[in-house]
Amino acid sequence: MTTPATREPASEQLLSVLRFVRTHSPFYRDFYAQVPQDAARLDDYPVLDSQAFWAANTVQGNTVLTAPITEGITFKSGGTTGHPKYSVFTYEEWRAFTKAFGQGMRRAGLQPGQRIGNLFYAGKLYASFLFITRSIEAAGISICYPLAGDDLDEIIAAWRQFDIDVLAGVPTTLMKLLERLTPEDKARLKLTTFLFGGEPMFADQIAAVQAVFPGCQVRSIGVAGVDYGELGWASPGAEPGVHHCFDDSTVMELIDDATGEPIDVPGRTGRIVLTNLARRLMPIIRYPVGDRGEWLDPVGTPSRRFRLLGRTEEGARVGPMSLYVDDMRQALTDLEHSEMPLGFRDFQMVIEHHERLDACCLRIAVERPQERTIEDTRRVIDRVYAARPMYRDLQDQQLVHGLTVQWVTASDLHTNARTGKLLRVVDHRHG
């Protein structure tokens, strides 16, 4: 690992962003109060405190934005129950975002004349459907069919009518589509490529797709978040989880959990933080994206490759749903304040994948786990489902396994072997 003293100064483009942010954003001005005005390296600035950032980045009384919103587009960006987050872009920033991602899709192997059915989610201020449609348009090389992912029968009808040969969407949507296909559909329809995003695609799911459509290429559509922007593009034939950085528009870092310092060498795992060079209305500087990763190429490699290794402790992706640690904590706290408290001391989420579906086990530490009852378990599950109604809906649609609860002692909870810190999220899907 390179020490901060030997790091290269930031580029002029990055320095311009930093100066602009310190001048025009009240939140960043205060957050960087202890940083010297002439600080010339990115790691002279602290990693963003996500909780403080979103507490300040509100609909009313926003102190993160660098100017009033006079034009642009607003999207919902996940968020804990009752506290949704909103991301805003100027129209110029939105065009730059989709252009960068679209060019990444083109580098990933889009071909002239491919007919792409966009099956991502639409409406309710969510970005994915509009984002992918605009990105395909920006790639400028294929034909887009904006279907959305909620009406499976309509998707299949369009697939038949337009001879669509590429689908783009979350894996769970495709798994449900496969179940709807008739023997005639399986014999007649084509699927040369499935571009997945929003959740990982696992080996059993890939095998299920290729059993119906032999030779179908299954690859990442790329990685992005409406809160932080474009993160990575996938080259043709890349291993699962492997992506390239967007050098022209972002600066990606991996941060060591123990030291808080950036990791430069390949093979060491760290938290991904991202700086977006194009966004100035709602600046994104050293923002923790919620994923872990490792470098695969030496420092200085153009479009440097990295491997995604699952979520950090902020939350986890379970099927097409984000489960946040804060949501689980609030559900358990609510029960603790009820007439029948659980006596919980701590908890962690264990994420697994089996029978083609993701699963979450909530491990709850109590003093005497053997005394917890089936009724206690039911109360926890009901409380989580009440806080996250999408969870029960996805279970009913057989898109995820239902929540399970395991009662343990505090010493049974998994911890980091090097630091001894509690692991809030343990993701077994990535080996």
Side-chain angles (χ1 to χ4, degrees):
M1 180 180 65
T2 307
T3 62
T6 64
R7 291 183 177 277
E8 295 292 325
S11 67
E12 281 302 316
Q13 184 182 12
L14 176 55
L15 286 174
S16 173
V17 171
L18 292 169
R19 286 193 292 265
F20 178 86
V21 166
R22 296 185 74 158
T23 301
H24 296 282
S25 168
F27 168 81
Y28 277 103
R29 185 186 308 129
D30 292 343
F31 192 62
Y32 294 152
Q34 304 305 314
V35 179
Q37 289 294 325
D38 60 352
R41 294 190 307 265
L42 185 57
D43 58 351
D44 289 334
Y45 295 78
V47 172
L48 199 59
D49 180 332
S50 296
Q51 198 167 18
F53 176 83
W54 287 107
N57 194 12
T58 51
V59 176
Q60 306 295 333
N62 191 302
T63 60
V64 170
L65 301 185
T66 59
I69 303 173
T70 57
E71 51 85 19
I73 191 165
T74 298
F75 293 109
K76 183 181 288 188
S77 176
T80 55
T81 302
H83 301 283
K85 303 180 293 185
Y86 297 96
S87 286
V88 295
F89 299 77
T90 66
Y91 286 127
E92 181 180 357
E93 290 170 346
W94 177 243
R95 288 191 293 268
F97 184 14
T98 54
K99 180 180 179 180
F101 198 81
Q103 292 306 304
M105 291 174 62
R106 185 165 181 157
R107 290 192 295 269
L110 289 189
Q111 298 297 315
Q114 283 183 320
R115 298 165 178 260
I116 306 176
N118 178 2
L119 310 185
F120 282 92
Y121 296 111
K124 300 179 182 178
L125 293 182
Y126 288 111
S128 58
F129 177 77
L130 291 175
F131 173 66
I132 294 301
T133 296
R134 287 295 302 267
S135 295
I136 293 171
E137 178 185 339
I141 199 172
S142 53
I143 307 163
C144 181
Y145 297 85
L147 295 167
D150 56 341
D151 190 331
L152 299 180
D153 292 330
E154 180 68 23
I155 292 168
I156 293 173
W159 194 352
R160 294 167 182 154
Q161 181 178 6
F162 294 103
D163 294 325
I164 291 170
D165 57 351
V166 177
L167 295 176
V170 295
T172 49
T173 301
L174 183 59
M175 292 299 103
K176 298 301 291 183
L177 277 174
L178 294 182
E179 295 176 355
R180 294 285 188 100
L181 297 181
T182 66
E184 292 78 13
D185 287 331
K186 294 178 181 179
R188 177 185 173 283
L189 295 178
K190 289 195 305 182
L191 186 63
T192 62
T193 307
F194 178 59
L195 302 172
F196 67 89
E199 62 187 74
M201 188 90 176
F202 297 99
D204 61 335
Q205 295 171 316
I206 295 173
V209 174
Q210 294 176 340
V212 178
F213 298 102
C216 177
Q217 297 182 43
V218 178
R219 65 173 186 263
S220 169
I221 199 169
V223 184
V226 72
D227 43 359
Y228 52 82
E230 63 273 27
L231 177 61
W233 56 274
S235 57
E239 297 177 18
V242 174
H243 295 80
H244 296 261
C245 293
F246 285 93
D247 287 348
D248 293 337
S249 55
T250 66
V251 178
M252 178 182 140
E253 301 172 89
L254 293 178
I255 303 299
D256 185 275
D257 286 324
T259 66
E261 295 291 340
I263 296 170
D264 282 342
V265 297
R268 287 182 53 191
T269 301
R271 292 186 299 137
I272 298 175
V273 302
L274 194 73
T275 298
N276 192 300
L277 302 175
R279 296 181 66 180
R280 295 206 172 193
L281 177 60
M282 192 186 101
I284 300 296
I285 310 294
R286 304 198 84 192
Y287 180 91
V289 306
D291 286 296
R292 303 180 65 76
E294 64 177 357
W295 293 119
L296 299 180
D297 297 323
V299 65
T301 302
S303 300
R304 192 179 186 187
R305 292 178 306 150
F306 62 95
R307 189 194 312 275
L308 291 173
L309 296 171
R311 300 292 289 172
T312 59
E313 67 174 28
E314 286 88 357
R317 196 75 171 174
V318 180
M321 165 186 57
S322 291
L323 278 184
Y324 294 92
V325 168
D326 283 348
D327 287 345
M328 292 296 191
R329 180 183 292 110
Q330 187 61 55
L332 293 174
T333 300
D334 289 346
L335 287 173
E336 205 61 26
H337 293 158
S338 69
E339 294 180 359
M340 295 184 291
L342 300 170
F344 95 94
R345 297 187 172 185
D346 225 324
F347 70 97
Q348 64 190 177
M349 297 156 52
V350 178
I351 314 300
E352 296 180 324
H353 181 87
H354 55 87
E355 298 173 346
R356 300 183 187 174
L357 300 178
D358 287 348
C360 176
C361 176
L362 183 60
R363 306 182 81 228
I364 306 174
V366 293
E367 185 174 356
R368 290 182 291 275
Q370 68 276 10
E371 295 181 5
R372 296 299 96 195
T373 66
I374 294 176
E375 176 62 20
D376 292 330
T377 297
R378 187 195 62 77
R379 290 174 60 222
V380 170
I381 293 174
D382 287 348
R383 179 69 65 166
V384 171
Y385 284 173
R388 205 72 173 90
M390 185 182 185
Y391 204 150
R392 190 188 296 276
D393 292 343
L394 292 174
Q395 180 187 350
D396 291 343
Q397 297 171 53
Q398 297 182 333
L399 297 179
V400 297
H401 292 293
L403 178 68
T404 59
V405 173
Q406 182 181 12
W407 302 98
V408 298
T409 64
S411 60
D412 292 326
L413 295 175
H414 302 302
T415 58
N416 184 301
R418 189 154 57 96
T419 66
K421 293 182 180 179
L422 175 66
L423 300 176
R424 283 284 174 215
V425 177
V426 180
D427 194 336
H428 288 314
R429 296 172 298 183
H430 300 272

